[in-house]
Amino acid sequence: MYQAEHYWPLKTATAVTLHLPWGAVPLNDAALAHLKSITPARPPVTLPDDAATYTALLDQLTELLAVGRNQEARAAAEKVLPYFARRPPDEGGRFFGILGTARRRTSDLSLAAASFEVAIRLLEIAGDTLSLGVVSDNLATVRRLQKRLPEAEAASDRAIAAFESLDTPSGNASLGGAYNNRSLILADQGSAELALVYNERALALLKIAYKDDPQALRPFLEDNKFLRKAIKKP
């Protein structure tokens, strides 16, 4: 995922845990000492440390994704990745969420999932509930596409819990999207009836959120039709 020069924060780490597909593996003292011995020194700082610089970078990356310049957004994000490694959790969480989206849109599901998982840990520290829900829902989508459905379900649980705790218009719209995403996971698991329940929960919220935007609502209505047809099949 990273070049050797990206690892310099490990030089002063007091603990390191590897998050592998089968679980978390903390490094013992000997392994940590060896890791520190081969980690390069901190590179020279080429970006200023003021928050405005990083906020502007995040806004630029978001704009690239908004207009579909996904490959360009990914290349730009990966170029500045080392600098966000030492930024506060709120900035880091937002950055890795953007990087994960860029990687997903460029068909790199494995690295997208890894990016979203880093973002989730940082956003939990930052206490950014809305962003935590968004990134968790994005991770659920990636895990569903990877056919890793138990992990998709776990990420969906986190997203729904985050949005349900907000009770705001933006949170409710996002909750509707998360409910629908859960319905797709359930459909892939062969539970069309329960999937329809979640889809209809989604529609109850999204018909309000998208009352002036029928085009935005249409995909969720199509999912409803698909699920109803699936249930009627013998």
Side-chain angles (χ1 to χ4, degrees), residues 108-175:
D108 196 336
L109 296 181
S110 179
L111 290 186
S115 301
F116 288 141
E117 287 174 344
V118 172
I120 286 168
R121 289 180 175 84
L122 292 171
L123 292 167
E124 286 174 336
I125 295 170
D128 186 343
T129 303
L130 179 60
S131 296
L132 176 63
V134 170
V135 173
S136 297
D137 201 40
N138 286 338
L139 177 60
T141 296
V142 170
R143 291 307 191 197
R144 181 176 67 83
L145 293 173
Q146 291 178 310
K147 307 301 181 184
R148 294 168 63 167
L149 298 180
E151 293 171 70
E153 191 172 355
S156 177
D157 283 342
R158 188 187 297 113
I160 289 171
F163 293 137
E164 285 181 339
S165 72
L166 292 173
D167 194 23
T168 62
S170 60
N172 287 341
S174 297
L175 178 59

Side-chain angles (χ1 to χ4, degrees), residues 24-37:
V25 180
L27 298 187
N28 61 27
D29 291 342
L32 181 57
H34 175 70
L35 184 63
K36 290 183 177 184
S37 73

Side-chain angles (χ1 to χ4, degrees), residues 25-200:
V25 180
L27 298 187
N28 61 27
D29 291 342
L32 181 57
H34 175 70
L35 184 63
K36 290 183 177 184
S37 73
I38 62 173
T39 297
R42 177 174 176 165
V45 176
T46 57
L47 286 176
D49 281 336
D50 63 292
T53 296
Y54 293 90
T55 298
L57 281 171
L58 291 169
D59 289 343
Q60 290 168 15
L61 294 172
T62 301
E63 289 172 8
L64 289 174
L65 291 174
V67 296
R69 294 162 65 180
N70 301 318
Q71 193 63 55
E72 187 177 345
R74 177 175 178 173
E78 290 180 342
K79 185 176 180 180
V80 298
L81 188 155
Y83 303 105
F84 278 92
R86 64 178 183 272
R87 298 303 299 170
D90 58 336
E91 293 178 13
R94 184 181 170 195
F95 170 78
F96 279 99
I98 290 170
L99 178 60
T101 299
R103 285 171 165 173
R104 177 174 65 84
R105 291 186 183 179
T106 52
S107 303
D108 196 336
L109 296 181
S110 179
L111 290 186
S115 301
F116 288 141
E117 287 174 344
V118 172
I120 286 168
R121 289 180 175 84
L122 292 171
L123 292 167
E124 286 174 336
I125 295 170
D128 186 343
T129 303
L130 179 60
S131 296
L132 176 63
V134 170
V135 173
S136 297
D137 201 40
N138 286 338
L139 177 60
T141 296
V142 170
R143 291 307 191 197
R144 181 176 67 83
L145 293 173
Q146 291 178 310
K147 307 301 181 184
R148 294 168 63 167
L149 298 180
E151 293 171 70
E153 191 172 355
S156 177
D157 283 342
R158 188 187 297 113
I160 289 171
F163 293 137
E164 285 181 339
S165 72
L166 292 173
D167 194 23
T168 62
S170 60
N172 287 341
S174 297
L175 178 59
Y179 280 154
N180 196 71
N181 201 13
R182 184 56 167 269
S183 78
L184 299 177
I185 295 168
L186 288 164
D188 285 356
Q189 291 173 322
S191 300
E193 292 86 355
L194 187 55
L196 182 60
V197 170
Y198 272 89
N199 171 267
E200 290 184 339

